[in-house]
Amino acid sequence: YHKYLFRFTGTRLAPKDKLDIPVLFMPDAMKMYETMLVIHVMRENGENWPYENSSELNKDLKSWVTVAENGGIQGILWVHPVYGIPEAPQQNLVPDVIRCQSRQRVERRVGVLLTGVVPGANLIPPTRNAAKDSISKPANVQEIVQVTDGSSTTMEFMYELQYPSNEIKSRLGPLVGMHLIESEWDTESRIITLIFNIVFAPNKPMRNEATLVVQCTTGGIWKFPMLFIATEPQVDDVINIEAVGLNKESVVGFKLTSQTR
């Protein structure tokens, strides 16, 4: 991972005032970047904050304050780690359409291209958990998959289907299954191809969107739109009612079975 340090001094902050610190991220590669935002505050008049027991400061507190020779506190530090995870652009991406008739089941292979992969960059960094945590782990998230270039270089990826809302997730999530079946890494073009097998088994007509999200554990996110369409089911049966005479009722009975409680 990479660390960058920029220093700004002389910022005056009034009591109970707020300080906005803009952060600009312009990645040039699909890998994680890391920096530290350090805020050091001192009194404008140069005096120290009195602290009688500065010699007894515990180890953790000493790393966040600057102790003067007279025993007072000269400055206070706030340290904020900043992780930059680039996301591939999605312009002009045509959704992959998975279409199936209700109460049927369809399997489709969907291939996605991960562009801008940097071989050997940041492989399994110390901040790996931060990258993992940026994708929530619902039930349909698979274990980490490994992709190799055929030699000694290996990269790890996670993937999941994300939905526009929790309502769509609860409705569509149980009807869709997905797993990786094939991967290929072209080191010259820096493109990794992932082939997924997607199963769609709808129980009623619907039309819902989803997004296939792939994230490298060393940084970099790719998103691919998908559209799931369930058409009307086949007719279950034809009900024939024969007339028994004019102005007389004809009755026929049939049973309906609920698929849920």
Side-chain angles (χ1 to χ4, degrees):
Y1 59 99
H2 301 269
K3 290 187 176 180
Y4 302 93
L5 178 62
F6 301 92
R7 184 181 297 275
F8 300 92
T9 59
T11 302
R12 174 187 281 176
L13 196 63
K16 295 186 178 181
D17 202 354
K18 294 182 179 180
L19 175 64
D20 292 326
I21 302 177
V23 178
L24 177 64
F25 180 46
M26 298 179 63
D28 56 4
M30 295 297 287
K31 59 184 179 182
M32 181 188 294
Y33 295 82
E34 180 181 356
T35 188
M36 302 293 289
L37 173 61
V38 181
I39 303 172
H40 186 204
V41 62
M42 302 175 65
R43 281 186 169 181
E44 187 178 15
N45 58 13
E47 295 181 1
N48 301 327
W49 285 282
Y51 193 85
E52 297 178 356
N53 301 320
S54 58
S55 59
E56 300 178 3
L57 287 173
N58 60 53
K59 184 178 180 181
D60 292 336
L61 189 56
K62 280 185 177 180
S63 60
W64 306 115
V65 299
T66 306
V67 180
E69 294 181 358
N70 61 4
I73 294 179
Q74 186 179 21
I76 303 174
L77 289 172
W78 285 271
V79 180
H80 301 272
V82 179
Y83 302 106
I85 301 178
E87 181 175 322
Q90 302 183 60
Q91 292 92 340
N92 302 323
L93 285 182
V94 179
D96 279 293
V97 179
I98 311 296
R99 189 187 302 269
C100 182
Q101 191 176 37
S102 298
R103 298 204 298 266
Q104 299 295 321
R105 180 179 182 274
V106 67
E107 289 193 33
R108 267 204 54 191
R109 291 193 175 190
V110 173
V112 298
L113 301 180
L114 311 184
T115 58
V117 178
V118 182
N122 296 351
L123 292 185
I124 317 304
T127 53
R128 169 179 173 180
N129 288 335
K132 286 184 186 179
D133 293 341
S134 64
I135 285 187
S136 58
K137 275 200 117 182
N140 62 327
V141 171
Q142 307 299 313
E143 294 298 324
I144 294 178
V145 296
Q146 295 185 341
V147 179
T148 178
D149 63 351
S151 59
S152 59
T153 304
T154 301
M155 299 189 73
E156 295 182 342
F157 294 88
M158 297 178 296
Y159 61 90
E160 69 163 329
L161 275 178
Q162 291 183 352
Y163 305 95
S165 66
N166 289 330
E167 180 184 357
I168 295 178
K169 176 182 175 181
S170 62
R171 182 167 65 243
L172 182 60
L175 310 177
V176 178
M178 176 181 65
H179 67 275
L180 181 69
I181 59 176
E182 188 179 341
S183 63
E184 182 181 350
W185 186 352
D186 187 341
T187 54
E188 292 185 4
S189 63
R190 294 168 56 185
I191 295 178
I192 290 179
T193 303
L194 302 180
I195 307 296
F196 294 92
N197 186 66
I198 297 180
V199 178
F200 183 35
N203 52 12
K204 59 182 179 180
M206 64 175 65
R207 182 188 181 94
N208 292 123
E209 297 176 348
T211 303
L212 172 57
V213 180
V214 181
Q215 177 169 353
C216 182
T217 56
T218 61
I221 297 176
W222 295 262
K223 294 183 178 181
F224 305 94
M226 303 192 69
L227 179 61
F228 292 88
I229 300 176
T231 57
E232 292 288 340
Q234 293 181 354
V235 174
D236 293 279
D237 201 355
V238 177
I239 300 173
N240 294 315
I241 304 177
E242 294 184 4
V244 296
L246 293 176
N247 298 320
K248 294 184 179 179
E249 292 182 353
S250 296
V251 179
V252 63
F254 58 92
K255 295 181 179 180
L256 296 179
T257 302
S258 175
Q259 299 298 318
T260 64
R261 291 186 178 183

